[in-house]
Amino acid sequence: MKKSAIAMIISLTAALALLGKAFILDEEIKIYLLVFFAIGNGLALLRLFVNNSIKKMKGKNWKVKVAFFTVLLGLGLPFQSWFRNAVLFNMDSAYLPGSISIMVLGMVFMTFFFGFMKKKLTSGQTLQPTEKSTAQ
């Protein structure tokens, strides 16, 4: 088994254990855990999208590159500032460790999951040449 598959399984198992414990014990943090797991998944997808877009920037005009990073920073920095100030700083400090840890677990899981799925889809979609029938 590959290291990436092991990391994916461990991160998902840990996230499910945290969520299961919160729901079984009916802790107040359970909704925060769900939301932060979804945020972690979204951040992983955003990171994969940005990395893929940066790879496609090779050979592009410098103006396109500047416009891309201007839009990226113009949207990313205000959102990051809002999330830190309006969400994290206003949360109960007892919820922060669990919320941040499940967000990181969601990021790790989704990053490896999409790598796994991309590999499976590209290896499974290779077209085999069809044999021509010689019978007439």
Side-chain angles (χ1 to χ4, degrees):
M1 191 175 263
K2 288 188 167 185
K3 292 178 185 177
S4 60
I6 293 170
M8 180 178 64
I9 292 168
I10 289 173
S11 64
L12 181 61
T13 304
L16 290 176
L18 284 172
L19 285 168
K21 177 184 158 275
F23 276 95
I24 289 171
L25 298 178
D26 198 28
E27 297 173 349
E28 293 178 8
I29 194 173
K30 62 186 171 192
I31 299 301
Y32 287 108
L33 292 179
L34 287 173
V35 169
F36 275 81
F37 187 70
I39 289 171
N41 290 338
L43 287 174
L45 294 176
L46 179 64
R47 187 185 67 80
L48 292 171
F49 169 74
V50 168
N51 286 350
N52 193 30
S53 297
I54 289 172
K55 287 178 187 174
K56 292 180 181 180
M57 287 288 164
K58 292 179 181 175
K60 300 272 185 183
N61 189 352
W62 68 272
K63 293 176 185 176
V64 173
K65 293 177 184 179
V66 169
F68 174 76
F69 285 105
T70 302
V71 169
L72 184 66
L73 292 174
L75 295 175
L77 290 177
F79 179 77
Q80 179 188 14
S81 178
W82 168 82
F83 185 75
R84 183 178 52 244
N85 294 329
V87 178
L88 293 179
F89 288 159
N90 289 325
M91 280 180 66
D92 186 4
S93 62
Y95 295 164
L96 277 176
S99 298
I100 299 298
S101 63
I102 200 153
M103 184 172 66
V104 170
L105 288 170
M107 289 176 66
V108 170
F109 168 71
M110 192 57 73
T111 299
F112 287 121
F113 178 73
F114 263 79
F116 175 77
M117 289 306 294
K118 182 179 178 183
K119 184 177 176 184
K120 284 289 187 188
L121 290 175
T122 56
S123 68
Q125 290 184 355
T126 57
L127 299 175
Q128 300 294 329
T130 57
E131 295 182 26
K132 293 183 179 179
S133 175
T134 57
Q136 292 184 359

